[in-house]
């Protein structure tokens, strides 16, 4: 098995991982089943991260647009009937 440092682990790397065999080693089927479960979880988390980043960017853009539209808005006088909050 090759260990890559400084890089993010990808699901396909987990799926194709190989290990040296030993006389009294672990059950290979259990190891591979666990690795496939781990790879599926990595895939799910990667998709969730992409979705969250996309949503965060959408919200940032909407905020910038809102700020641009309201940059010239001013608060009315504290005594005006449209003023909700006293200064």
């Amino acid at each position: 098995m090759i260990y890559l440092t400084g890089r993010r682990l990808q699901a396909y790397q987990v799926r194709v991982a190989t290990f040296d065999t030993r006389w009294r080693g672990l059950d290979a089927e259990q190891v591979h089943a666990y690795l496939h479960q781990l790879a599926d979880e990595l895939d799910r988390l990667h998709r969730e991260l992409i979705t969250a980043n996309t949503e965060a960017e959408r919200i940032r853009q909407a905020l910038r647009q809102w700020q641009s539209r309201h940059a010239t808005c001013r608060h009315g006088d504290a005594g005006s009937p449209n003023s909700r909050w006293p200064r």
Side-chain angles (χ1 to χ4, degrees), residues 60-73:
R60 277 192 291 275
Q61 288 177 1
L63 178 59
R64 284 187 204 108
Q65 289 173 358
W66 184 89
Q67 288 172 329
S68 294
R69 284 193 308 264
H70 293 84
T72 59
C73 293

Side-chain angles (χ1 to χ4, degrees), residues 10-60:
Q10 300 293 320
Y12 78 89
Q13 293 170 312
V14 174
R15 286 191 174 92
V16 299
T18 58
F19 301 91
D20 297 334
T21 56
R22 300 280 186 247
W23 177 64
R24 298 188 80 167
L26 300 174
D27 182 345
E29 288 182 23
Q30 284 182 338
V31 170
H32 289 293
Y34 184 76
L35 289 175
H36 283 288
Q37 183 181 1
L38 178 61
D40 291 342
E41 181 69 6
L42 281 173
D43 278 337
R44 184 187 67 78
L45 291 172
H46 183 70
R47 285 190 307 272
E48 284 184 12
L49 180 60
I50 289 171
T51 300
N53 286 336
T54 301
E55 179 67 6
E57 182 58 31
R58 185 192 68 76
I59 290 169
R60 277 192 291 275

Side-chain angles (χ1 to χ4, degrees), residues 4-10 13:
L4 301 174
T5 58
R7 295 186 182 173
R8 290 184 177 173
L9 185 62
Q10 300 293 320
Q13 293 170 312

